[in-house]
PDB file of all heavy atoms in Angstrom:
ATOM      1  N   MET A 104     110.620  80.892 109.560  1.00  0.00           N
ATOM      2  CA  MET A 104     110.846  82.329 109.796  1.00  0.00           C
ATOM      3  C   MET A 104     110.252  83.206 108.611  1.00  0.00           C
ATOM      4  O   MET A 104     109.810  84.259 108.800  1.00  0.00           O
ATOM      5  CB  MET A 104     112.381  82.646 109.713  1.00  0.00           C
ATOM      6  CG  MET A 104     113.041  82.161 111.061  1.00  0.00           C
ATOM      7  SD  MET A 104     114.726  82.834 111.274  1.00  0.00           S
ATOM      8  CE  MET A 104     115.563  82.325 109.741  1.00  0.00           C
ATOM      9  N   SER A 105     110.154  82.576 107.406  1.00  0.00           N
ATOM     10  CA  SER A 105     109.478  83.343 106.279  1.00  0.00           C
ATOM     11  C   SER A 105     108.051  83.624 106.457  1.00  0.00           C
ATOM     12  O   SER A 105     107.491  84.438 105.858  1.00  0.00           O
ATOM     13  CB  SER A 105     109.842  82.570 104.974  1.00  0.00           C
ATOM     14  OG  SER A 105     108.995  81.444 104.976  1.00  0.00           O
ATOM     15  N   LYS A 106     107.437  82.829 107.314  1.00  0.00           N
ATOM     16  CA  LYS A 106     105.950  83.029 107.567  1.00  0.00           C
ATOM     17  C   LYS A 106     105.599  84.059 108.565  1.00  0.00           C
ATOM     18  O   LYS A 106     104.577  84.493 108.793  1.00  0.00           O
ATOM     19  CB  LYS A 106     105.337  81.732 107.991  1.00  0.00           C
ATOM     20  CG  LYS A 106     105.546  80.500 106.959  1.00  0.00           C
ATOM     21  CD  LYS A 106     104.408  79.759 106.772  1.00  0.00           C
ATOM     22  CE  LYS A 106     104.591  78.628 105.812  1.00  0.00           C
ATOM     23  NZ  LYS A 106     105.386  78.790 104.601  1.00  0.00           N
ATOM     24  N   TRP A 107     106.702  84.507 109.326  1.00  0.00           N
ATOM     25  CA  TRP A 107     106.534  85.556 110.386  1.00  0.00           C
ATOM     26  C   TRP A 107     106.397  86.917 109.826  1.00  0.00           C
ATOM     27  O   TRP A 107     107.078  87.309 108.848  1.00  0.00           O
ATOM     28  CB  TRP A 107     107.725  85.417 111.284  1.00  0.00           C
ATOM     29  CG  TRP A 107     107.534  86.398 112.528  1.00  0.00           C
ATOM     30  CD1 TRP A 107     106.751  86.238 113.580  1.00  0.00           C
ATOM     31  CD2 TRP A 107     108.141  87.636 112.636  1.00  0.00           C
ATOM     32  NE1 TRP A 107     106.865  87.314 114.412  1.00  0.00           N
ATOM     33  CE2 TRP A 107     107.775  88.199 113.958  1.00  0.00           C
ATOM     34  CE3 TRP A 107     109.068  88.414 111.926  1.00  0.00           C
ATOM     35  CZ2 TRP A 107     108.124  89.321 114.457  1.00  0.00           C
ATOM     36  CZ3 TRP A 107     109.494  89.641 112.418  1.00  0.00           C
ATOM     37  CH2 TRP A 107     109.061  90.155 113.595  1.00  0.00           C
ATOM     38  N   VAL A 108     105.466  87.718 110.317  1.00  0.00           N
ATOM     39  CA  VAL A 108     105.306  89.085 109.876  1.00  0.00           C
ATOM     40  C   VAL A 108     105.497  89.939 111.159  1.00  0.00           C
ATOM     41  O   VAL A 108     104.796  89.878 112.108  1.00  0.00           O
ATOM     42  CB  VAL A 108     103.947  89.320 109.294  1.00  0.00           C
ATOM     43  CG1 VAL A 108     103.650  90.777 108.935  1.00  0.00           C
ATOM     44  CG2 VAL A 108     103.789  88.364 108.038  1.00  0.00           C
ATOM     45  N   SER A 109     106.318  90.905 110.985  1.00  0.00           N
ATOM     46  CA  SER A 109     106.563  91.832 112.184  1.00  0.00           C
ATOM     47  C   SER A 109     105.411  92.856 112.331  1.00  0.00           C
ATOM     48  O   SER A 109     104.676  93.034 111.418  1.00  0.00           O
ATOM     49  CB  SER A 109     107.797  92.690 111.925  1.00  0.00           C
ATOM     50  OG  SER A 109     107.595  93.608 111.045  1.00  0.00           O
ATOM     51  N   PRO A 110     105.146  93.221 113.555  1.00  0.00           N
ATOM     52  CA  PRO A 110     104.105  94.198 113.875  1.00  0.00           C
ATOM     53  C   PRO A 110     104.278  95.422 112.903  1.00  0.00           C
ATOM     54  O   PRO A 110     103.162  95.967 112.456  1.00  0.00           O
ATOM     55  CB  PRO A 110     104.230  94.563 115.222  1.00  0.00           C
ATOM     56  CG  PRO A 110     105.003  93.421 115.874  1.00  0.00           C
ATOM     57  CD  PRO A 110     105.831  92.863 114.790  1.00  0.00           C
ATOM     58  N   GLU A 111     105.423  95.930 112.708  1.00  0.00           N
ATOM     59  CA  GLU A 111     105.666  97.039 111.851  1.00  0.00           C
ATOM     60  C   GLU A 111     105.280  96.735 110.461  1.00  0.00           C
ATOM     61  O   GLU A 111     104.596  97.586 109.758  1.00  0.00           O
ATOM     62  CB  GLU A 111     107.189  97.453 111.867  1.00  0.00           C
ATOM     63  CG  GLU A 111     107.740  97.768 113.264  1.00  0.00           C
ATOM     64  CD  GLU A 111     108.219  96.621 114.057  1.00  0.00           C
ATOM     65  OE1 GLU A 111     108.106  95.410 113.607  1.00  0.00           O
ATOM     66  OE2 GLU A 111     108.519  96.791 115.229  1.00  0.00           O
ATOM     67  N   ASP A 112     105.688  95.562 109.901  1.00  0.00           N
ATOM     68  CA  ASP A 112     105.309  95.193 108.464  1.00  0.00           C
ATOM     69  C   ASP A 112     103.771  95.107 108.408  1.00  0.00           C
ATOM     70  O   ASP A 112     103.176  95.421 107.346  1.00  0.00           O
ATOM     71  CB  ASP A 112     106.058  93.947 108.051  1.00  0.00           C
ATOM     72  CG  ASP A 112     106.064  93.740 106.623  1.00  0.00           C
ATOM     73  OD1 ASP A 112     106.094  94.805 105.887  1.00  0.00           O
ATOM     74  OD2 ASP A 112     105.992  92.566 106.180  1.00  0.00           O
ATOM     75  N   SER A 113     103.136  94.549 109.455  1.00  0.00           N
ATOM     76  CA  SER A 113     101.747  94.366 109.350  1.00  0.00           C
ATOM     77  C   SER A 113     101.031  95.784 109.215  1.00  0.00           C
ATOM     78  O   SER A 113     100.154  95.849 108.499  1.00  0.00           O
ATOM     79  CB  SER A 113     101.289  93.613 110.615  1.00  0.00           C
ATOM     80  OG  SER A 113      99.872  93.485 110.643  1.00  0.00           O
ATOM     81  N   ALA A 114     101.573  96.725 110.098  1.00  0.00           N
ATOM     82  CA  ALA A 114     100.933  98.076 110.009  1.00  0.00           C
ATOM     83  C   ALA A 114     101.148  98.735 108.626  1.00  0.00           C
ATOM     84  O   ALA A 114     100.248  99.357 108.104  1.00  0.00           O
ATOM     85  CB  ALA A 114     101.602  98.878 111.046  1.00  0.00           C
ATOM     86  N   ILE A 115     102.369  98.478 108.099  1.00  0.00           N
ATOM     87  CA  ILE A 115     102.680  99.020 106.748  1.00  0.00           C
ATOM     88  C   ILE A 115     101.749  98.461 105.769  1.00  0.00           C
ATOM     89  O   ILE A 115     101.122  99.141 104.814  1.00  0.00           O
ATOM     90  CB  ILE A 115     104.117  98.825 106.424  1.00  0.00           C
ATOM     91  CG1 ILE A 115     104.973  99.723 107.369  1.00  0.00           C
ATOM     92  CG2 ILE A 115     104.464  99.213 104.928  1.00  0.00           C
ATOM     93  CD1 ILE A 115     106.480  99.408 107.270  1.00  0.00           C
ATOM     94  N   ARG A 116     101.514  97.095 105.707  1.00  0.00           N
ATOM     95  CA  ARG A 116     100.698  96.424 104.820  1.00  0.00           C
ATOM     96  C   ARG A 116      99.233  96.925 104.913  1.00  0.00           C
ATOM     97  O   ARG A 116      98.524  97.105 103.913  1.00  0.00           O
ATOM     98  CB  ARG A 116     100.737  94.921 105.057  1.00  0.00           C
ATOM     99  CG  ARG A 116     102.076  94.380 104.633  1.00  0.00           C
ATOM    100  CD  ARG A 116     101.941  92.842 104.932  1.00  0.00           C
ATOM    101  NE  ARG A 116     103.176  92.185 104.632  1.00  0.00           N
ATOM    102  CZ  ARG A 116     103.431  90.913 104.641  1.00  0.00           C
ATOM    103  NH1 ARG A 116     102.471  90.095 105.003  1.00  0.00           N
ATOM    104  NH2 ARG A 116     104.674  90.414 104.427  1.00  0.00           N
ATOM    105  N   ARG A 117      98.762  97.216 106.133  1.00  0.00           N
ATOM    106  CA  ARG A 117      97.297  97.693 106.312  1.00  0.00           C
ATOM    107  C   ARG A 117      97.246  99.080 105.727  1.00  0.00           C
ATOM    108  O   ARG A 117      96.325  99.374 105.101  1.00  0.00           O
ATOM    109  CB  ARG A 117      96.960  97.650 107.798  1.00  0.00           C
ATOM    110  CG  ARG A 117      96.637  96.427 108.251  1.00  0.00           C
ATOM    111  CD  ARG A 117      96.361  96.407 109.858  1.00  0.00           C
ATOM    112  NE  ARG A 117      95.935  95.107 110.275  1.00  0.00           N
ATOM    113  CZ  ARG A 117      94.691  94.685 110.301  1.00  0.00           C
ATOM    114  NH1 ARG A 117      93.701  95.495 109.924  1.00  0.00           N
ATOM    115  NH2 ARG A 117      94.350  93.512 110.797  1.00  0.00           N
ATOM    116  N   ALA A 118      98.322  99.855 106.008  1.00  0.00           N
ATOM    117  CA  ALA A 118      98.253 101.287 105.493  1.00  0.00           C
ATOM    118  C   ALA A 118      98.199 101.379 104.047  1.00  0.00           C
ATOM    119  O   ALA A 118      97.509 102.147 103.427  1.00  0.00           O
ATOM    120  CB  ALA A 118      99.455 102.120 106.146  1.00  0.00           C
ATOM    121  N   ARG A 119      99.008 100.475 103.479  1.00  0.00           N
ATOM    122  CA  ARG A 119      99.100 100.468 101.918  1.00  0.00           C
ATOM    123  C   ARG A 119      97.839  99.910 101.375  1.00  0.00           C
ATOM    124  O   ARG A 119      97.354 100.388 100.332  1.00  0.00           O
ATOM    125  CB  ARG A 119     100.304  99.619 101.443  1.00  0.00           C
ATOM    126  CG  ARG A 119     101.598 100.208 101.720  1.00  0.00           C
ATOM    127  CD  ARG A 119     102.799  99.460 101.403  1.00  0.00           C
ATOM    128  NE  ARG A 119     103.999 100.177 101.686  1.00  0.00           N
ATOM    129  CZ  ARG A 119     105.227  99.505 101.639  1.00  0.00           C
ATOM    130  NH1 ARG A 119     105.330  98.241 101.379  1.00  0.00           N
ATOM    131  NH2 ARG A 119     106.243 100.276 101.917  1.00  0.00           N
ATOM    132  N   ALA A 120      97.118  99.055 102.053  1.00  0.00           N
ATOM    133  CA  ALA A 120      95.818  98.561 101.604  1.00  0.00           C
ATOM    134  C   ALA A 120      94.779  99.658 101.630  1.00  0.00           C
ATOM    135  O   ALA A 120      93.982  99.794 100.771  1.00  0.00           O
ATOM    136  CB  ALA A 120      95.469  97.403 102.401  1.00  0.00           C
ATOM    137  N   ILE A 121      94.789 100.463 102.709  1.00  0.00           N
ATOM    138  CA  ILE A 121      93.979 101.596 102.784  1.00  0.00           C
ATOM    139  C   ILE A 121      94.149 102.506 101.717  1.00  0.00           C
ATOM    140  O   ILE A 121      93.182 103.148 100.986  1.00  0.00           O
ATOM    141  CB  ILE A 121      94.039 102.307 104.151  1.00  0.00           C
ATOM    142  CG1 ILE A 121      93.484 101.371 105.240  1.00  0.00           C
ATOM    143  CG2 ILE A 121      93.273 103.601 104.188  1.00  0.00           C
ATOM    144  CD1 ILE A 121      93.771 101.889 106.658  1.00  0.00           C
ATOM    145  N   MET A 122      95.460 102.867 101.404  1.00  0.00           N
ATOM    146  CA  MET A 122      95.759 103.848 100.356  1.00  0.00           C
ATOM    147  C   MET A 122      95.356 103.296  99.022  1.00  0.00           C
ATOM    148  O   MET A 122      94.930 104.098  98.102  1.00  0.00           O
ATOM    149  CB  MET A 122      97.265 104.148 100.316  1.00  0.00           C
ATOM    150  CG  MET A 122      97.760 104.724 101.657  1.00  0.00           C
ATOM    151  SD  MET A 122      96.917 106.276 102.074  1.00  0.00           S
ATOM    152  CE  MET A 122      97.375 107.359 100.825  1.00  0.00           C
TER     153      MET A 122
END
Side-chain angles (χ1 to χ4, degrees):
M104 285 190 311
S105 71
K106 303 224 184 317
W107 183 76
V108 177
S109 73
E111 299 86 3
D112 197 32
S113 177
I115 291 168
R116 289 178 186 187
R117 284 176 174 272
R119 288 178 181 167
I121 291 169
M122 298 305 292

